Structures are given as C-alpha cells and as structure tokens.
Amino acid sequence: MLRLLGGELARAAGARLASFPAASGSLSCARFFSAQPQPEEEEGGIEMKGIKLRGAPMYLDMQATTPLDPRVLDAMLPYMVDQFGNPHSRTHMYGWESEDAVEKARAQVASLIGADPKEIVFTSGATESNNMAIKGVAGFYKDKKRHIITTQTEHKCVLDSCRHLQQRGWDVTYLPVSKDGRLALSDLEAAMRPDTALVSVMAINNEIGVRQPLADIGAMCRARKVFFHTDAAQAVGKVPLNVGDAGIDLASISGHKLYGPKGVGALYVRRRPRVRLEAQMSGGGQERGLRSGTVPAPLVVGLGAACEVAQREMAADEAHVRRLEARLRGGITSRLQGVQLNGPEDLAHRYPGNVNLSFAYVEGESLIMGLKDIAVSSGSACTSASLEPSYVLRALGVEEDMAHTSIRFGLGRFTSEEEVDRAVEMTVAHVQKLRDMSPLWELVQEGVDLKSISWVQH
Amino acid sequence: MPTAAQVRSLMRQYLRLGRTFPNYNIRSYLDRKGREDARRWASGPPADAAAPAAEAAWRAAVDDLAAFKRQAAVYGMYGRKFKTVLELEHDAAAKAKAG
C-alpha cells in the first residue's frame, strides 16, 4: 500500500508541481509527512492497507452507504433461516409465505412515497432502476421520440445510460446547473422539444446534497406530456417525497441509502397515466415482466422494513440531522477561515445530512489521508479512487484548487453529537497543521492575493 | 393505551439498552430515542382523534424494543471485535480519572 500510495501521490505531485513549481519543495514534504502522522503504539491497533488505525474510525459517509438498522436485520433474518422459499413458487407453503412477505414489502415501499403497491418494481438497486427507467422508456418509445433531457450533475449511472442511448442515435441534452447546483426551470423549458421522451433529474445530489425543484419540474413535464424520472436514491426515507404531489412518473430507490440492505432497490413506475417500459432483463417474467429473475425475498423484506422504519422515524431523523449539521458546519466555519460550502446554504434547497466543504490553501489528498479517524470521502464513493476533482463540483464552477480539497461529511440516524464534535476538532486541527506548513498559506497571511501571482516554469 | 407507568418502564428499558448494546452508534441512538420518546409521551396519551395513531406508535415502540433486544445478541456474536476511536478515548479518559 505504501508503495502504491507513494506512486499515486508522486503522480499527483508531479501533476501539481507543473502548476506550482515555486512551492514544490515544501508542498511535497507536507504531502508525505503530514498525510501519515506517527502511528500511535497501542495494543490491539489495526493495520489495513498499510495504515495503522487505533480503532474503528467514526463513520461519516452516509451518502456512500448507511449501516443496516437493527430493526431491518431483525425483519430479514427469518427469511434467511426457515422461510427460504422462492416467492414465485405457487404450489407450496414455502412459496406462499415468501410471496406474502414480498407483497407486504411492496406495500411498505409504496406507502413511503405515496404510490400504489402495483407501481413498485423490485430491482438490484438504484443503478439498475436508473438504467431500467432511462433505457426502458427509450426502448419503448423509440419510434416516436428521439430526445432525453438530464443534468450535468446526475449520478454516473444516469449519465452513462444516456451516453449509451446517444451511441444508438438518441439526442441527449445535459443541462448546466447554477453555482449552488440547482437546475433553472427556464433552461429546462428551453430544452424541451416535441420529440422529448424523458426528463431525468435527481431528487437530492449525492455529492453536494442539493434538492432539485421536483414539483415544478414534474408540473412542466406533465403539461408537455413528457415522462419525468427522478433518481431518488438519496432522498427516499430521508425527506418527504410524494410521487403524486411532485408529478413523478418514474423514481429510483436504493435499499442501502436508507438503512436497508445492499443489493436491492426499487423503481416506481406510474400506472395512471401509464408509463410503458421495455424490459432490460429477459427471463421468467417476474415483476410483471419488467424485471425477470427471482425476487430476493430477504433483501426485499429488508427494503420494506427500512421504508416502514423511515416513515415512522422521518421527523425525528430530520430534526436530529439538522441539529448535527448546524453543529458541524458552525463548529468548522467558526474556527477556520477559507472554508467554502459546496451546494446551497439554504436548507430548503439542501439535505442537511450532506455537508460538502472545501478548504482553501491545503492539499486534497493530505487532507483526507490525515483524517484517518473519520471515515469521510472527497465526493462520491464511485470516483473516490481517482485524484480527479469531482465532475459535480466542476459543473458548479468550483475553482480547481477548491474542488481538490472538498470533504463530504455525511450525517444520519446513527451519527452521535459526540462524533460530530470530535470530527470538528480533528478537522480543524488537521487543516491548521497543514496550513502551518504551507508556503501558500504564509503568503495569504502576508496579504498576498494568490491569484495575482504568476507562477514561472523552470 | 398505555398507562403512565408502562410508558416510564418502556423508556427505562430503552435507556438501559442504550448503555449495554454492543455497538457504539446504536447505543447512542437508543439513548436518544428513549429520551425523545419519553418527552413525547410525557404529556400523556392523546385523546380522541389522535388516539389510533398514538396506539400504533406505542405498539411500534414496544415491537422496536423487542427487535433491538434480539439484535443485541446478533451484534454480540457478529459485531466488530475492536472498538471505535471514540470508545478508546472514553476508556482512556476513564482510566486517567480512576488512576
């Protein structure tokens, strides 16, 4: 790992050095020594990937995944023990009891989003749901329609599904977003064409937590008879979402973002007015022919239980997450200058459990690597292996240096106030330490505007 | 509808489980839930119109407690064998205080 890390960092260093040759010496020192503070010698320490940890880090990455709620596991276990039947077996008790459990779960999912149980199709997760919605609508309506609208800040699986269709002759409009990540309705209206089949806009962004104006988009789509799909993986179970009120025709749901199991999700498909899809999976015709393959009863039961718990606990969860957000953001911004919130300030437009902060005058990798006692990410988990700054932050127009130093703090049902307080202390201390070593920070303290410096290559 | 004594007893059980559950984050959640629910029920069970919802909420609170108790055993068997950073800090603080 050390070798690998060294290589990766050296590559990053090489890339950065080209742009900051004057500061190269001290910056690379900071990178190698500050990123890995002296490991504390303690009994029972853990070593993973060449990094010594004193204990399990505090988990503050709730957008990547959430822990399973114990109530969810409790609901699933019977279906992993005696009640193992195939829910599609029609000839014996094993099948019947599994089918009952699956149908109960379907009703629980539907109830959370204000849908009819018949409108819920179980899938393997939000990625499959997004693929199914976009490619499915495109496949069914390909004779009459040719155009899809989405935004630049969507999840990779939406963007990639759209690319796939582009290669097959579809036109795709990738709408830009404003500085705080919101989609302008005027842009959407201007992009609509008579042959537009689908608008796909996510409910809550996974990197910056921005909430899109779903109801307005839904109304606009309905007026023009265009289907509206929303990737609601980060929203369902966390904020109230009603498919009827918001005019949503298709909605993707993920199990493991709402304290349910991984490997299961759902797609809401409106029945009135009916949305037709071309199946993406051929086989035994399960899920009304839309998604063949045996429905994984234990996972689906878990998804249903997670939705049921989320519905009951939503108000308490939301109040808790709001308190934590104020504590985290207030704690960091009151003690550090040069901290920028990516995404909207106003909590009417942002999910408070997602706090994406950029720290000026530090280096991104050293920042994350030094915070080994907190499990956070620089952006989406899917792209966390790359050193490229996030495309979402780039679409927002965040400057290159700030995009490199973003940290996404994810808060949720099982995050404690104490964890947030310690995360604030650790982040503040670490950023201060990195800045104390940084020649750039020294210049800033002397009142030099970094943008006025012209770096010379030599 | 539960009596005031039943409510008190349930909340005490939540708080007790909030001290003994094998996982730090779930302990903190149970503690919070116990306190929040106790506050919610402190004013007594609501009458007439809200009664069915309150009845359902009470049943859910009882069922949840039973599930958490069962899962304490599962976490005891399959939970992580080493502590979290915060637990280690608590232990160190307790040791410093004692010694």
Side-chain angles (χ1 to χ4, degrees):
Chain A
M1 174 63 193
L2 209 72
R3 201 160 48 88
L4 189 110
L5 190 70
E8 243 179 73
L9 287 181
R11 243 186 300 126
R16 300 305 291 293
L17 293 192
S19 46
F20 297 114
S24 67
S26 4
L27 266 188
S28 64
C29 275
R31 182 169 293 117
F32 285 113
F33 291 112
S34 68
Q36 288 150 13
Q38 290 299 305
E40 283 132 298
E41 289 298 327
E42 260 186 17
E43 334 170 352
I46 317 135
E47 196 181 321
M48 267 189 105
K49 307 235 175 211
I51 295 174
K52 279 219 174 69
L53 296 167
R54 49 187 182 131
M58 298 180 264
Y59 189 78
L60 294 173
D61 201 6
M62 296 296 176
Q63 278 70 40
T65 189
T66 52
L68 204 59
D69 190 301
R71 287 165 284 193
V72 172
L73 181 58
D74 194 65
M76 290 168 68
L77 280 171
Y79 297 93
M80 301 175 118
V81 187
D82 277 335
Q83 289 160 268
F84 56 81
N86 184 328
H88 315 297
S89 294
R90 290 293 164 84
T91 50
H92 47 69
M93 185 192 82
Y94 293 85
W96 304 330
E97 63 191 8
S98 287
E99 190 191 17
D100 286 351
V102 165
E103 293 315 311
K104 182 182 167 202
R106 202 185 298 281
Q108 286 168 322
V109 176
S111 161
L112 178 61
I113 59 169
D116 186 275
K118 290 198 189 91
E119 298 175 313
I120 303 296
V121 176
F122 288 118
T123 66
S124 66
T127 290
E128 188 189 334
S129 299
N130 286 335
N131 271 270
M132 189 196 248
I134 294 167
K135 294 178 187 167
V137 164
F140 196 89
Y141 296 95
K142 61 176 179 287
D143 296 335
K144 292 193 191 115
K145 310 278 184 172
R146 217 74 223 120
H147 181 226
I148 287 173
I149 301 174
T150 186
T151 74
Q152 292 172 358
T153 54
E154 292 299 306
H155 192 271
K156 279 270 175 207
C157 62
V158 169
L159 296 176
D160 226 45
S161 296
C162 289
R163 283 257 179 271
H164 172 93
L165 292 173
Q166 258 178 313
Q167 288 162 358
R168 279 149 188 81
W170 283 74
D171 287 341
V172 181
T173 305
Y174 301 92
L175 291 174
V177 293
S178 67
K179 258 178 86 75
D180 63 4
R182 301 219 328 144
L183 172 66
L185 290 167
S186 51
D187 288 350
L188 178 62
E189 191 163 24
M192 294 241 193
R193 309 194 321 210
D195 63 348
T196 304
L198 183 75
V199 169
S200 179
V201 177
M202 73 204 310
I204 292 181
N205 184 272
N206 54 318
E207 293 198 28
I208 55 170
V210 60
R211 296 177 69 167
Q212 299 293 358
L214 294 186
D216 298 335
I217 299 172
M220 192 178 281
C221 291
R222 187 62 55 84
R224 284 166 182 73
K225 293 198 163 52
V226 174
F227 291 132
F228 175 32
H229 165 247
T230 185
D231 172 5
Q234 299 284 349
V236 169
K238 312 237 176 101
V239 297
L241 182 94
N242 185 297
V243 288
D245 297 347
I248 295 167
D249 296 310
L250 297 136
S252 304
I253 301 171
S254 170
H256 73 114
K257 310 284 190 196
L258 72 155
Y259 310 97
K262 291 163 188 63
V264 69
L267 179 67
Y268 159 79
V269 187
R270 180 174 288 284
R271 276 163 69 90
R272 250 176 294 240
R274 189 155 177 212
V275 183
R276 310 289 298 269
L277 297 179
E278 182 190 73
Q280 302 299 304
M281 189 82 81
S282 315
Q286 289 90 347
E287 298 298 275
R288 289 182 293 117
L290 283 174
R291 205 275 187 183
S292 288
T294 301
V295 170
L299 297 181
V300 160
V301 166
L303 174 62
C307 287
E308 198 253 329
V309 172
Q311 198 165 7
R312 268 195 282 130
E313 301 288 344
M314 194 175 288
D317 282 353
E318 224 183 346
H320 177 63
V321 165
R322 260 174 195 265
R323 272 196 305 273
L324 295 182
E325 194 261 359
R327 217 173 165 105
L328 177 76
R329 202 148 69 88
I332 290 179
T333 51
S334 67
R335 288 155 69 183
L336 283 178
Q337 34 171 314
V339 182
Q340 172 191 313
L341 175 76
N342 299 312
E345 195 95 10
D346 184 357
L347 286 185
H349 304 311
R350 179 167 60 86
Y351 170 59
N354 186 328
V355 185
N356 189 319
L357 299 173
S358 283
F359 298 85
Y361 322 119
V362 296
E363 200 273 328
E365 283 298 298
S366 346
L367 185 63
I368 286 258
M369 294 307 291
L371 291 173
K372 58 179 189 171
D373 280 344
I374 27 183
V376 287
S377 151
S378 57
S380 107
C382 320
T383 49
S384 66
S386 98
L387 288 165
E388 281 286 293
S390 123
Y391 65 91
V392 173
L393 295 186
R394 231 184 288 170
L396 259 55
V398 175
E399 289 186 39
E400 188 84 352
D401 55 334
M402 290 301 260
H404 268 287
T405 60
S406 66
I407 294 188
R408 178 185 66 184
F409 295 91
L411 313 168
R413 186 184 290 161
F414 297 104
T415 312
S416 73
E417 290 186 358
E418 191 191 15
E419 283 179 306
V420 168
D421 290 347
R422 284 295 285 136
V424 168
E425 283 168 31
M426 286 175 185
T427 309
V428 168
H430 188 60
V431 169
Q432 267 162 354
K433 194 171 106 194
L434 289 177
R435 283 181 179 173
D436 286 345
M437 289 186 287
S438 155
L440 295 178
W441 178 242
E442 227 169 274
L443 290 174
V444 174
Q445 295 304 94
E446 286 162 14
V448 179
D449 179 8
L450 292 185
K451 292 203 179 72
S452 69
I453 301 174
S454 67
W455 302 98
V456 191
Q457 195 105 40
H458 60 93
Chain B
M1 272 292 123
T3 64
Q6 282 175 313
V7 171
R8 266 200 309 278
S9 158
L10 185 79
M11 297 317 150
R12 261 203 304 272
Q13 292 185 67
Y14 264 104
L15 294 180
R16 191 179 314 133
L17 201 57
R19 285 191 299 273
T20 55
F21 202 94
N23 173 292
Y24 165 82
N25 290 91
I26 294 165
R27 278 203 303 278
S28 84
Y29 174 72
L30 289 168
D31 186 77
R32 188 178 94 234
K33 185 170 163 61
R35 282 168 211 284
E36 283 175 359
D37 285 359
R39 260 200 302 280
R40 194 186 313 160
W41 291 90
S43 50
D48 49 274
E55 180 80 51
W58 170 255
R59 263 204 314 278
V62 172
D63 291 350
D64 278 4
L65 180 72
F68 278 115
K69 279 183 175 168
R70 286 191 293 270
Q71 293 305 309
V74 173
Y75 272 73
M77 286 182 286
Y78 298 102
R80 209 189 280 292
K81 293 298 174 245
F82 52 85
K83 294 182 171 181
T84 66
V85 169
L86 276 181
E87 286 171 299
L88 291 173
E89 288 181 1
H90 291 167
D91 290 354
K95 221 180 191 176
K97 211 173 163 189

